[in-house]
């Protein structure tokens, strides 16, 4: 499945900002201040294009079809950096993962966050790992990264805590070990404490997750997430 839709068409409804009339094509626009001195401001159109490219790289081809956000999801997006948790819950095939990808896209445009991978920054010989700006991960994949046998479970924890937006897809499908639950708790508790945005999708509501991921994680989700039911038929069957 190859999708050749131009980026600008995909994201039109999310409000791609226009380029400044003096855009230099490299992200800046020359402007004169009131004293006639020349200065430069960022071109929002260029910033939007960067966001679009980063978002597109995160969305797998099946989920690239633009969809309308559920009203409660659109409201969550509007909160921008003040948004906290969003918990999309519903039966198999109702469209949770697709909503999550497009909520992520809309949130990135809203906050002009360009999805970027983790990287190491080096200043004066000192190395520092910068977490990814946006992390979208299937819960079972995260649990794989958080197994005690893995050399480095610190990195996925720190990345998941530090990302500006974390999306955890399909939580509750698997019951992780006690060790992995503890790591998941470290992630969720940090984001909860920082009131940082996070999107979770699951087949069950937050409280029903306590058997799988422990009561402390489930209870934090219940407090800090807005629960949005995703209803309707299994779209895979009707397709
Ligand atoms: N609003 C929509 N309009 C058209 N197609 C959609 C919409 N939402 C989802 N779909 C399509 O329906 C199918 C199922 O969607 P999705 O994978 O998001 O469901 P899900 O709720 O995450 O399912 P599961 O619980 O099995 O993970 C996909 O092919 C997806 O592209
Ligand atoms: Mg899904
Ligand atoms: Zn521009």
């Amino acid at each position: 499945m190859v999708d050749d839709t131009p980026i600008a068409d995909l994201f039109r409804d999310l409000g791609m900002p226009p380029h400044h009339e003096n855009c230099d094509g490299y992200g800046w626009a020359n402007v004169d201040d009131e004293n006639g001195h020349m200065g430069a401001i960022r071109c929002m159109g260029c910033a939007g294009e960067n966001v679009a490219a980063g978002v597109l790289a995160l969305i797998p081809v099946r989920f690239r079809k633009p969809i309308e956000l559920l009203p409660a999801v659109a409201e969550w997006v509007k909160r921008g950096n003040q948004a906290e948790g969003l918990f999309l819950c519903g039966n198999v095939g109702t469209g949770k993962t697709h909503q999550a990808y497009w909520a992520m896209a809309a949130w990135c445009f809203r906050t002009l966050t360009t999805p970027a991978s983790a990287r190491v920054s080096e200043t004066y010989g000192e190395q520092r790992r910068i977490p990814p700006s946006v992390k979208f991960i299937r819960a079972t994949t995260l649990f794989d990264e958080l197994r005690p046998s893995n050399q480095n479970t610190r990195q996925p924890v720190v990345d998941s805590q530090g990302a500006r937006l974390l999306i955890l897809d399909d939580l509750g499908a698997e019951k992780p070990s006690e060790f992995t639950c503890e790591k998941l708790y470290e992630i969720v508790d940090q984001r909860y404490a920082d009131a940082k945005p996070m999107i979770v999708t699951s087949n069950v509501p937050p409280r029903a997750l306590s058997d799988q991921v422990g009561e402390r994680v489930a209870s934090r989700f219940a407090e800090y997430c807005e629960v949005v039911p995703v209803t309707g038929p299994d779209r895979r069957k009707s397709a």
Side-chain angles (χ1 to χ4, degrees):
M1 193 193 261
V2 178
D3 186 349
D4 295 327
T5 317
I7 290 186
D9 287 353
L10 278 180
F11 298 126
R12 196 180 304 281
D13 291 344
L14 299 185
M16 285 273 282
H19 287 274
H20 192 279
E21 54 178 351
N22 296 333
C23 168
D24 66 0
Y26 295 97
W28 295 91
N30 296 322
V31 288
D32 291 332
D33 68 15
E34 60 266 35
N35 304 318
H37 298 302
M38 209 168 81
I41 57 168
R42 283 187 71 185
C43 168
M44 286 302 129
C46 287
E49 278 178 11
N50 285 337
V51 174
V55 164
L56 197 64
L58 278 192
I59 307 184
V61 68
R62 179 169 308 282
F63 298 107
R64 283 191 194 157
K65 192 170 98 87
I67 53 162
E68 207 173 311
L69 295 178
L70 295 170
V73 175
E75 281 303 312
W76 177 88
V77 168
K78 271 199 198 144
R79 282 176 223 138
N81 287 310
Q82 309 306 321
E84 296 195 23
L86 176 69
F87 196 104
L88 300 170
C89 124
N91 292 337
V92 170
T94 48
K96 301 174 296 295
T97 300
H98 210 131
Q99 275 292 318
Y101 273 114
W102 282 82
M104 169 196 81
W107 185 90
C108 288
F109 280 101
R110 178 80 191 183
T111 58
L112 284 184
T113 299
T114 300
S117 324
R119 64 191 170 86
V120 175
S121 116
E122 191 170 330
T123 343
Y124 303 116
E126 211 171 292
Q127 289 199 338
R128 179 166 81 94
R129 186 181 161 89
I130 315 281
S133 56
V134 177
K135 178 167 171 168
F136 192 116
I137 191 163
R138 194 186 294 117
T140 47
T141 309
L142 180 67
F143 296 163
D144 273 344
E145 293 177 0
L146 299 176
R147 284 188 205 289
S149 53
N150 286 356
Q151 287 275 315
N152 187 354
T153 53
R154 195 70 212 137
Q155 194 164 296
V157 169
V158 172
D159 280 0
S160 304
Q161 290 173 331
R164 290 184 63 193
L165 175 64
L166 174 70
I167 304 99
L168 205 51
D169 189 35
D170 217 2
L171 189 65
E174 184 186 302
K175 184 174 173 152
S177 72
E178 208 169 299
F179 176 90
T180 304
C181 274
E182 192 54 36
K183 298 286 150 193
L184 179 67
Y185 168 73
E186 281 180 40
I187 295 168
V188 174
D189 187 53
Q190 190 66 54
R191 297 196 74 89
Y192 164 82
D194 295 336
K196 267 187 171 167
M198 174 169 185
I199 303 173
V200 181
T201 82
S202 179
N203 288 146
V204 295
R207 291 284 182 201
L209 277 174
S210 58
D211 280 348
Q212 266 112 318
V213 296
E215 206 177 326
R216 289 181 305 162
V217 168
S219 143
R220 276 159 186 73
F221 281 148
E223 182 191 336
Y224 122 109
C225 292
E226 180 178 347
V227 181
V228 176
V230 184
T231 55
D234 181 344
R235 290 174 183 272
R236 295 193 194 100
K237 275 189 189 150
S238 53

